[in-house]
Amino acid sequence: MTGIFEVVGTPHPDRTGRVKKLCELGFTWADLEDEAYWIDQIVLMPQAVYDEITQASAKLWQILDKTARYVHGKHDLYELIGIPPILWEMLDICPIPEPGLISRYARFDFAVNQEGVIKLLELNADTPTGYVEASIATPWVLEQAGLSSPNIGMPELVAAAWAEERPDTAACVAYGTHLEDSGTIEALVRHSGQNILCEDCLELWVDEGILKNGGGRVIERMFALYPKEWMAVDDAGEALAYAIETDRLKLFNSPHSILLQSKGLLAAVWGLYELGLLFDEEERKAISSYILPTYNKPVFSGSFVSKSMFGREGGSVRMFDAEGKLELADEEGFDASVLFPSVYQKRAELARIETVEGELHLLTGMFVINGEPCGLLGRAGGPITGNASHFIALGVK
């Protein structure tokens, strides 16, 4: 198969030994329920493509930050991009972070096709996973093959970000039993170099505006792999929002990361671009190059995709063909479109790669930590990248 991506290597005969080593490093879910989540091969991209992805990430980061600040405080735009009303007061009251740092821990997902054309699919600016795969597993896999990884600076950037945020607690749902989320916050805590306790979100409670753990310990500054839109549907969501509004709890990423997280923000960017508002000539060039036409309604004449403004892991994604007929839907993940409005985006093609698991579509992720693009994440699966996708290390040739 021709294209810009080159798959190199064959799986090591001692997979068990390699999985054990990755487990020792903190990547404990290389195999999940007897299935190989990690593909023991490497995908290499040309240096020029990596450089363009990095530069595109930096430009898009500035554009989305600028758009989030334009939306901030405007309730009609909050509604347009799907922000639950329960969070509006919190967003208005809390000071918005300095430019470029609304989120200090985020990940872009790009569709890069066979020819190297780069298009942004979405930004997870609130609760991205894949950190362990990118910061720990990818450098190790590449090192074993005698290659260097562009991801090696990720831990240093986490340390710099958390030195500023100084969380006393890191939390996720089902801490200790959910391998991926637990491993993610443990790696972040380790890389931060700080003394931070890990907690299960389900064991936390709000007592008159003060967040406490199951033993009564007061939590004042928390990093949480807890999507902020869940506050609109969880029983304790209103109490948690109140704790943040009254400044009894500092939450990281900042509450305003939900503005960046909403896929509706991409529709806002595209709408402002079409109207000739907000953006300068350089920003307009980046938008036309890397952002797909995105709307709040299905107005396309060609093929398009619909997705929830707050969907994760592909659960709400539906692909429509050139005639507007449903072609493919993700049946595995949770369909968040039953809770939140949808956006409609022009369809972009993912490169296809030949692996030991067969021909797969490659999704290219780029982490942005402390405002700096810094880490490639490769995931390979079907046309919709969901829970059933694989991790495969990405490198540069």
Side-chain angles (χ1 to χ4, degrees):
M1 184 180 302
T2 59
I4 63 154
F5 293 103
E6 179 188 359
V7 179
V8 298
T10 54
H12 195 281
D14 183 18
R15 180 179 177 87
T16 301
R18 283 164 70 81
V19 167
K20 183 181 178 184
K21 179 60 181 176
L22 285 168
C23 187
E24 291 169 359
L25 292 171
F27 181 37
T28 59
W29 55 100
D31 284 345
L32 279 173
E33 298 175 0
D34 299 325
E35 290 193 8
Y37 165 57
W38 164 51
I39 296 176
D40 187 8
Q41 291 179 287
I42 296 169
V43 178
L44 297 177
M45 68 175 69
Q47 181 71 45
V49 175
Y50 171 74
D51 291 343
E52 187 180 353
I53 291 171
T54 304
Q55 291 158 12
S57 298
K59 289 175 184 173
L60 293 170
W61 189 249
Q62 293 174 346
I63 288 164
L64 290 168
D65 183 276
K66 189 175 188 177
T67 310
R69 289 171 197 281
Y70 178 83
V71 168
H72 182 233
K74 300 179 177 72
H75 289 187
D76 56 333
L77 297 184
Y78 285 176
E79 186 172 17
L80 195 67
I81 70 169
I83 305 298
I86 193 175
L87 304 181
W88 292 5
E89 187 172 355
M90 179 178 73
L91 293 173
D92 291 346
I93 289 173
C94 294
I96 192 165
E98 62 188 273
L101 295 174
I102 290 176
S103 166
R104 290 183 186 265
Y105 171 66
R107 191 194 71 233
F108 283 116
D109 283 341
F110 291 103
V112 184
N113 70 11
Q114 307 283 104
E115 289 74 43
V117 176
I118 299 164
K119 295 294 182 183
L120 175 64
L121 296 180
E122 58 191 58
L123 168 65
N124 188 333
D126 190 14
T127 59
T129 52
Y131 177 79
V132 174
E133 292 93 316
S135 70
I136 295 174
T138 293
W140 182 83
V141 170
L142 289 169
E143 183 185 6
Q144 295 299 301
L147 301 167
S148 58
S149 169
N151 295 8
I152 56 172
M154 294 177 72
E156 189 177 325
L157 288 165
V158 166
W162 285 32
E164 293 290 331
E165 293 176 339
R166 295 176 291 105
D168 55 53
T169 303
C172 68
V173 174
Y175 175 67
T177 54
H178 191 289
L179 290 178
E180 182 180 7
D181 288 0
S182 302
T184 298
I185 65 169
E186 285 173 352
L188 289 165
V189 166
R190 192 163 68 250
H191 289 169
S192 77
Q194 301 198 26
N195 184 25
I196 299 167
L197 298 177
C198 293
E199 298 279 0
D200 184 346
C201 288
L202 301 177
E203 295 180 5
L204 306 181
W205 59 295
V206 180
D207 180 15
E208 297 184 353
I210 297 172
L211 185 67
K212 298 180 179 180
N213 75 352
R217 178 177 71 88
V218 174
I219 296 170
E220 297 179 336
R221 305 176 69 83
M222 182 172 72
F223 173 86
L225 277 186
Y226 172 84
K228 293 172 181 62
E229 69 270 15
W230 287 4
M231 286 189 234
V233 293
D234 283 352
D235 290 340
E238 195 168 351
L240 184 61
Y242 176 71
I244 297 165
E245 288 163 17
T246 55
D247 204 29
R248 292 177 172 93
L249 174 67
K250 294 282 190 194
L251 194 63
F252 310 112
N253 286 312
S254 88
H256 303 93
S257 64
I258 195 171
L259 299 176
L260 293 174
Q261 175 69 33
S262 170
K263 297 175 186 67
L265 194 72
L266 294 176
V269 169
W270 192 257
L272 290 164
Y273 167 78
E274 288 193 322
L275 291 168
L277 300 174
L278 192 62
F279 305 114
D280 62 31
E281 206 49 50
E282 186 180 345
E283 290 164 339
R284 289 181 58 79
K285 185 178 178 183
I287 291 167
S288 66
S289 296
Y290 302 118
I291 291 186
L292 294 158
T294 309
Y295 300 96
N296 288 62
K297 294 179 180 177
V299 294
F300 295 96
S301 56
S303 57
F304 67 94
V305 172
S306 73
K307 56 180 88 171
S308 168
M309 290 188 182
F310 292 107
R312 285 170 165 81
E313 298 289 351
S316 66
V317 177
R318 292 177 175 84
M319 290 185 163
F320 296 84
D321 63 19
E323 281 72 50
K325 295 177 182 175
L326 180 63
E327 186 177 308
L328 189 64
D330 188 299
E331 306 294 341
E332 299 287 328
F334 172 70
D335 182 4
S337 65
V338 299
L339 299 173
F340 306 104
S342 293
V343 293
Y344 303 85
Q345 187 179 66
K346 185 178 178 181
R347 195 157 152 182
E349 296 304 317
L350 300 171
R352 296 187 303 280
I353 56 173
E354 197 62 53
T355 74
V356 291
E357 297 288 340
E359 183 183 288
L360 300 174
H361 294 76
L362 179 69
L363 184 72
T364 303
M366 172 63 85
F367 277 88
V368 181
I369 299 176
N370 215 30
E372 187 172 324
C374 60
L376 289 171
L377 174 67
R379 284 180 292 163
I384 299 172
T385 308
N387 274 329
S389 66
H390 298 271
F391 157 61
I392 188 165
L394 270 180
V396 179
K397 58 182 175 181

